[in-house]
């Protein structure tokens, strides 16, 4: 729930895409490290829509606060995460 609140508050629809009527879902993959931080070098677009929307999704992921790290047998481990960003014109 907190993740989607963060995304809602921090994602801005790029004006260039809004003016052109471009919308869609951008799929982003990233890695949550053992300490809960997002590795900025491991944020990538799996399926993009438009460069402006893709870059906004990357910007928001890189600005996310620390997560609770994944655990395996009680030890913190890296976790790959895939997240859809829905850009919809109203």
């Amino acid at each position: 729930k907190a993740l989607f609140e963060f995304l809602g508050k921090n994602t801005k629809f790029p004006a260039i895409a809004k003016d052109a009527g471009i919308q869609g879902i951008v799929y982003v993959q990233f890695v949550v490290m053992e300490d809960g931080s997002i590795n900025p070098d491991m944020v990538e677009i799996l399926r993009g829509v438009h460069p402006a929307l893709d870059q906004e999704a990357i910007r928001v992921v890189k600005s996310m606060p620390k997560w609770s790290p994944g655990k395996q047998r009680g030890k913190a481990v890296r976790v790959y995460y895939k997240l859809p960003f829905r850009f919809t014109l109203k």
Side-chain angles (χ1 to χ4, degrees):
K1 182 178 174 184
L3 170 63
F4 292 105
E5 285 178 16
F6 177 84
L7 296 178
K9 290 178 184 175
N10 293 283
T11 304
K12 308 287 186 252
F13 204 118
I16 190 167
K18 189 181 283 188
D19 294 344
I22 298 168
Q23 58 184 353
I25 302 173
V26 176
Y27 292 89
V28 181
Q29 178 174 282
F30 57 96
V31 177
V32 178
M33 303 302 287
E34 294 91 338
D35 66 354
S37 64
I38 305 297
N39 183 333
D41 297 328
M42 298 181 84
V43 177
E44 63 180 306
I45 298 297
L46 295 177
R47 186 167 55 187
V49 174
H50 180 273
L53 298 180
D54 300 351
Q55 289 304 313
E56 176 61 7
I58 288 172
R59 182 194 69 78
V60 173
V61 167
K62 288 182 177 181
S63 71
M64 285 195 285
K66 284 193 172 187
W67 289 48
S68 297
K71 301 252 183 196
Q72 188 172 36
R73 296 187 198 126
K75 183 180 175 190
V77 294
R78 293 180 185 180
V79 177
Y80 280 85
Y81 200 86
K82 295 175 184 157
L83 185 66
F85 276 78
R86 187 176 307 269
F87 290 93
T88 308
L89 293 170
K90 295 180 179 161

